[in-house]
Amino acid sequence: MLEIKNLHVRVEDEDTEILRGIDLAVPKGEVHAIMGPNGSGKSTLSYVIAGKDGYEVTDGSITWDGEDLLALSPDERAARGVFLAFQYPVEIPGVATLTFLRTAVNAVRKARGEKELNTADFMRLVREKAEALGVKQDMLKRGLNVGFSGGEKKRNEILQMALLEPTLCVLDETDSGLDIDALRIVSEGVNTLRGPERAMLVITHYQRLLNYIVPDRVHVLQEGRIVRSGGKELAEELERTGYAEFGEGKAA
Amino acid sequence: MTVQIVKTPAEEALESAFAAMRDGLSGAAGDFAPALRDAAMATFRELGLPGRRVEEWKYTDLRGLLRDVPEPIRASGDTLSETDLYDVLGIDLDEFLAYRIVIADGAFAPELSHFEGTDALFQVLPLSEALANPPDWFREGFGKVNPPERDASLALNTAFMTDGVVIRIADGAKLDRPLHLVFITGSTRRGMVTNRNFISVGEGAAATILETYGARRTPDMLRNAVTEITLGHGAEVEHLKYQNEGRMGLHLSSWMAAIGPGARYRAFQFSIGAGLARNQIFTRFTGEGGEADVSGAFMVWDEQHADTTVVIDHAVPHCKSRALFKGVIDDKARGVVQGKIAVHPGAQKTDANLMAHGLMLSERAEFDAKPELEIYADDVVCGHGATTGELDEDMLFYLRARGLDVNQAQALLTVAFVGEALEKVECAPVREAFVARAAAWLGSDKS
Ligand SMILES: Nc1ncnc2c1ncn2[C@@H]1O[C@H](COP(=O)(O)OP(=O)(O)OP(=O)(O)O)[C@@H](O)[C@H]1O
Ligand SMILES: [Mg+2]
């Protein structure tokens, strides 16, 4: 289970708190959605779970499987099964996508005490997963995310997720930039990973994604707090009403 | 007016070494070398070791850094084996099919050299022989291939040169294998080694020439190596260098190139060794329609100092030059890139560009870049630039979020950084060896 308790976060060297007391629990086997207006702190929450520098946790805790995530480096978290699909995947010129994928897969396998994959096995695995997600082979030869379209970058994120087989998946606006077909393909990719051993946190602005990836719970994040939680029908309600009516203090 | 400066102990040692050795140096009995050496020594006496006051050496204070001069070495008498070559160079020579010419310490080593059956393609002479009995073409060209004015390190080379490789590639010869010139020191004693090469590439000829420099045991050799190369009409040459000298050593190097009409010259130097390395490259177009790419990469750490100083002379119209230098600098090391593009009066339609980029892996690292344009023609396209940066935090986080530990992530990004320069090397086995070396550098194995 992912357990976040009373999490307070601010950006280093700045006074304003971005996350102001988040409580959230995502049991294994469940998918929770987080919705909320721009700037409410969704990406910040995802970065703090994944371990990005530059954020200071002033109070509270994050545990995964009972282990304190905040004490671990980003790569240690990845080895424990944490995966963040980035809202804005980084372009890295000069690092071939395929080289990167292989290095990542083997780093994680090694850290988990599994055998590293040889070239042939790795290539077989990549081909299979890439095909399922509609990632073209020539993309894999290019620099990591370099010159990829917005949608291609998002597919590449899900390809990495499929290859690394994480147990805690955080998807930050994976649907933005995807066309209708890609949205379906990517959602299928995510759904195949759903299972009793996995927890997922899906950040999105649109209810449409949640038609494909049906969440067990929906939470509304506003100004650094979860102001309301409910079932999947909450997403539909938000679509109609917007965020205006969820002010401070109206948390359910 | 010349300011009289007190001679340093190193300058005095060089002058007295020359006086003691002069009559025993290669070609001393002939009518060619002694005059050259004497003139060079006179120039050196006048110039002294270059220090901060000399503009071209302002980042590399050789006068201050060179404390003493070890005894010059010719043939050390220590025998080197094929295994030594491999250990020093890190290039698998069994896999790398090349015509190999080895200069061990200061002397040609025929037992380690292999270039049989190539007479129709090229002629090889040890420099010591060419100095003793100079063929006409050598006598006419030697020392005159685009030499820099008043350069103390070149003067020292001419004064002390013992051996090296003289090659004449025949007109129209297309070499089926690279020429691999190996400069290795095997001596257990500290010493000064002075190599000089002279390469003449005939009209329409094509060749890849790789120079590799390394030391087997003694880490603190003082090496001065110069290569002069001329490219005839339409010749194509890829001229490569790998420098992995002992980390306490001094490596002074100058390449002087004259590029004939329609010729294509690609120079690349990859430098990771020596405590102090100064790589000078002087290229000049001597005929229209020439193309040059003069590039390189260096990786330094600890207290290493690597200086690349390049001058590209567009002396004639309609020539194109590109230059890209990338340096990775860790710990307290220092990197220097000085690059000048000089467009002479009348050199219209010149197309030239020079870039230098430094990547700092530590807060105490230093990178000094001085790109310069000197343009005396109006119808030209010239550009230059320099950047200094650190590894990108967002890229590092992205890689670490995918499970790469901090060392792996840094290594991948660093190799990507120098890779852009290493990609310039067209000879595939050499390029792959360079990339592999760069990847290993960031791991445990930097030496
Ligand atoms: N490094 C930073 N420095 C300064 N402010 C920051 C930093 N990171 C985030 N913030 C601020 O924190 C707030 C929350 O940002 P965050 O990116 O988490 O929002 P979000 O909910 O993901 O928004 P969106 O829906 O637009 O993606 C914003 O006001 C943002 O400007
Ligand atoms: Mg966001």
Side-chain angles (χ1 to χ4, degrees):
Chain A
M1 176 150 85
L2 170 70
E3 245 184 326
I4 301 178
K5 285 189 181 148
N6 189 33
L7 185 70
H8 288 258
V9 170
R10 56 175 195 178
V11 174
E12 266 168 25
D13 306 321
E14 292 198 26
D15 289 339
T16 40
E17 251 190 358
I18 298 173
L19 301 182
R20 304 189 298 151
I22 296 213
D23 288 287
L24 181 66
V26 186
K28 284 188 178 176
E30 291 194 7
V31 173
H32 288 205
I34 292 192
M35 304 182 80
N38 295 132
S40 55
K42 304 182 297 296
S43 292
T44 303
L45 176 62
S46 74
Y47 284 148
V48 175
I49 293 172
K52 190 175 184 178
D53 278 344
Y55 297 97
E56 189 188 344
V57 175
T58 52
D59 203 0
S61 65
I62 305 178
T63 59
W64 168 239
D65 249 352
E67 192 171 8
D68 177 13
L69 278 189
L70 296 176
L72 303 176
S73 67
D75 42 302
E76 288 167 338
R77 297 182 202 199
R80 306 291 196 283
V82 177
F83 182 92
L84 166 62
F86 285 67
Q87 182 176 2
Y88 304 110
V90 183
E91 296 193 9
I92 308 188
V95 174
T97 306
L98 213 48
T99 309
F100 157 74
L101 292 175
R102 186 167 176 205
T103 312
V105 167
N106 280 335
V108 162
R109 289 182 74 95
K110 195 172 162 198
R112 291 176 191 163
E114 295 164 20
K115 218 170 123 266
E116 294 181 38
L117 293 181
N118 62 31
T119 312
D121 289 343
F122 169 76
M123 289 308 295
R124 204 170 302 124
L125 183 69
V126 168
R127 262 194 221 108
E128 176 203 325
K129 305 278 186 195
E131 198 169 323
L133 288 162
V135 174
K136 288 183 230 93
Q137 290 298 314
D138 82 285
M139 265 170 64
L140 299 177
K141 291 186 190 128
R142 281 194 254 156
L144 183 54
N145 291 322
V146 177
F148 287 23
S149 74
E152 286 170 342
K153 283 180 185 163
K154 296 304 177 74
R155 287 183 205 218
N156 192 28
E157 291 293 289
I158 301 308
L159 172 61
Q160 292 168 40
M161 184 164 107
L163 288 169
L164 295 175
E165 301 183 325
T167 45
L168 173 59
C169 308
V170 181
L171 280 65
D172 191 358
E173 294 196 30
T174 300
D175 51 338
S176 66
L178 290 179
D179 65 41
I180 301 163
D181 291 339
L183 184 65
R184 188 174 41 76
I185 293 165
V186 164
S187 302
E188 277 167 14
V190 173
N191 284 331
T192 54
L193 285 169
R194 279 180 92 152
E197 285 307 309
R198 286 206 171 86
M200 292 193 185
L201 201 55
V202 178
I203 296 168
T204 182
H205 285 292
Y206 306 105
Q207 193 254 329
R208 192 169 58 208
L209 176 71
L210 304 179
N211 287 339
Y212 291 106
I213 306 172
V214 181
D216 298 290
R217 301 279 293 166
V218 175
H219 309 277
V220 179
L221 187 66
Q222 206 161 15
E223 292 172 16
R225 285 204 184 103
I226 290 179
V227 293
R228 204 170 147 190
S229 300
K232 66 178 192 301
E233 62 290 342
L234 180 55
E236 289 156 23
E237 187 188 328
L238 279 169
E239 193 95 344
R240 283 196 309 276
T241 62
Y243 294 112
E245 75 168 78
F246 304 108
E248 297 256 324
K250 290 197 180 173
Chain B
M1 193 191 85
T2 18
V3 183
Q4 210 52 52
I5 305 172
V6 183
K7 286 198 196 309
T8 66
E11 287 166 340
E12 278 173 359
L14 286 163
E15 289 182 22
S16 58
F18 183 74
M21 293 175 74
R22 183 188 177 278
D23 296 335
L25 285 165
S26 323
D31 67 345
F32 181 63
L36 283 180
R37 294 188 192 276
D38 290 345
M41 201 60 209
T43 304
F44 176 71
R45 247 182 241 114
E46 187 196 324
L47 295 174
L49 287 166
R52 282 195 207 91
R53 290 158 188 256
V54 181
E55 179 63 19
E56 290 83 359
W57 290 78
K58 72 173 182 185
Y59 299 112
T60 300
D61 179 15
L62 190 60
R63 188 169 197 272
L65 292 167
L66 188 62
R67 297 249 168 261
D68 64 334
V69 176
E71 204 177 308
I73 297 183
R74 268 170 289 177
S76 68
D78 297 283
T79 40
L80 287 159
S81 67
E82 299 259 334
T83 323
D84 293 322
L85 295 187
Y86 174 75
D87 289 348
V88 169
L89 303 174
I91 294 175
D92 192 340
L93 295 166
D94 291 335
E95 305 273 304
F96 183 52
L97 291 177
Y99 300 119
R100 191 205 305 160
I101 304 167
V102 178
I103 304 294
D105 297 314
F108 174 56
E111 70 287 359
L112 293 170
S113 304
H114 304 285
F115 51 92
E116 301 80 15
T118 51
D119 293 354
L121 293 172
F122 56 86
Q123 231 182 301
V124 175
L125 272 177
L127 177 86
S128 50
E129 266 178 57
L131 289 175
N133 298 300
D136 288 344
W137 57 272
F138 176 79
R139 190 187 281 268
E140 277 158 29
F142 185 78
K144 296 176 195 144
V145 182
N146 191 27
E149 271 176 49
R150 300 171 62 78
D151 183 77
S153 88
L154 174 62
L156 282 176
N157 184 278
T158 306
F160 285 98
M161 59 190 169
T162 56
D163 219 341
V165 189
V166 174
I167 304 174
R168 189 187 201 194
I169 300 178
D171 287 349
K174 312 275 187 212
L175 270 58
D176 55 335
R177 292 182 182 181
L179 272 166
H180 185 191
L181 315 185
V182 179
F183 301 87
I184 183 168
T185 53
S187 170
T188 45
R189 272 185 309 128
R190 192 170 166 242
M192 178 169 96
V193 178
T194 308
N195 303 124
R196 178 72 163 253
N197 309 304
F198 182 80
I199 305 170
S200 159
V201 184
E203 286 186 10
T208 298
I209 302 162
L210 168 66
E211 299 181 18
T212 50
Y213 292 86
R216 180 179 54 161
R217 298 200 197 94
T218 320
D220 50 357
M221 285 290 165
L222 190 166
R223 190 195 302 273
N224 185 328
V226 169
T227 300
E228 295 180 67
I229 182 168
T230 56
L231 276 70
H233 194 304
E236 288 197 19
V237 171
E238 179 164 48
H239 190 187
L240 307 167
K241 175 175 148 183
Y242 174 60
Q243 185 271 105
N244 186 20
E245 306 261 32
R247 265 203 317 107
M248 304 297 286
L250 168 65
H251 179 87
L252 293 177
S253 149
S254 308
W255 279 5
M256 287 124 63
I259 305 163
R264 183 165 175 263
Y265 180 61
R266 298 182 62 82
F268 192 94
Q269 302 196 340
F270 185 39
S271 186
I272 59 174
L276 171 63
R278 162 91 170 186
N279 298 310
Q280 309 193 116
I281 309 172
F282 305 99
T283 61
R284 174 183 294 262
F285 291 104
T286 58
E288 295 189 17
E291 271 187 44
D293 190 307
V294 179
S295 297
F298 61 86
M299 302 178 91
V300 284
W301 62 296
D302 196 11
E303 295 189 353
Q304 281 181 288
H305 178 116
D307 173 333
T308 301
T309 294
V310 175
V311 180
I312 300 173
D313 273 296
H314 281 263
V316 294
H318 292 283
C319 291
K320 176 177 170 182
S321 68
R322 289 290 178 272
L324 172 68
F325 294 93
K326 290 210 155 187
V328 178
I329 309 154
D330 202 353
D331 303 326
K332 283 189 283 183
R334 186 170 180 195
V336 175
V337 177
Q338 304 185 99
K340 178 153 90 180
I341 297 170
V343 181
H344 295 223
Q348 305 296 8
K349 305 290 179 192
T350 288
D351 173 359
N353 189 284
L354 184 146
M355 301 297 286
H357 304 289
L359 172 65
M360 323 283 258
L361 296 182
S362 119
E363 280 174 11
R364 292 176 302 170
E366 188 176 336
F367 180 59
D368 301 291
K370 195 176 78 171
E372 269 181 287
L373 292 176
E374 211 177 77
I375 303 180
Y376 295 101
D378 50 13
D379 186 10
V380 301
V381 182
C382 292
H384 72 315
T387 62
T388 306
E390 291 157 26
L391 290 175
D392 184 288
E393 286 296 328
D394 289 335
M395 293 185 190
L396 276 174
F397 174 62
Y398 188 83
L399 296 176
R400 296 188 68 192
R402 296 297 179 253
L404 279 68
D405 67 31
V406 79
N407 290 330
Q408 277 180 306
Q410 286 183 346
L412 208 57
L413 294 178
T414 304
V415 172
F417 172 82
V418 286
E420 194 199 344
L422 300 177
E423 284 301 312
K424 292 235 180 195
V425 176
E426 289 180 350
C427 178
V430 175
R431 182 180 63 240
E432 283 156 19
F434 285 1
V435 170
R437 198 65 198 80
W441 185 87
L442 258 194
S444 52
D445 179 25
K446 279 179 178 170
S447 54

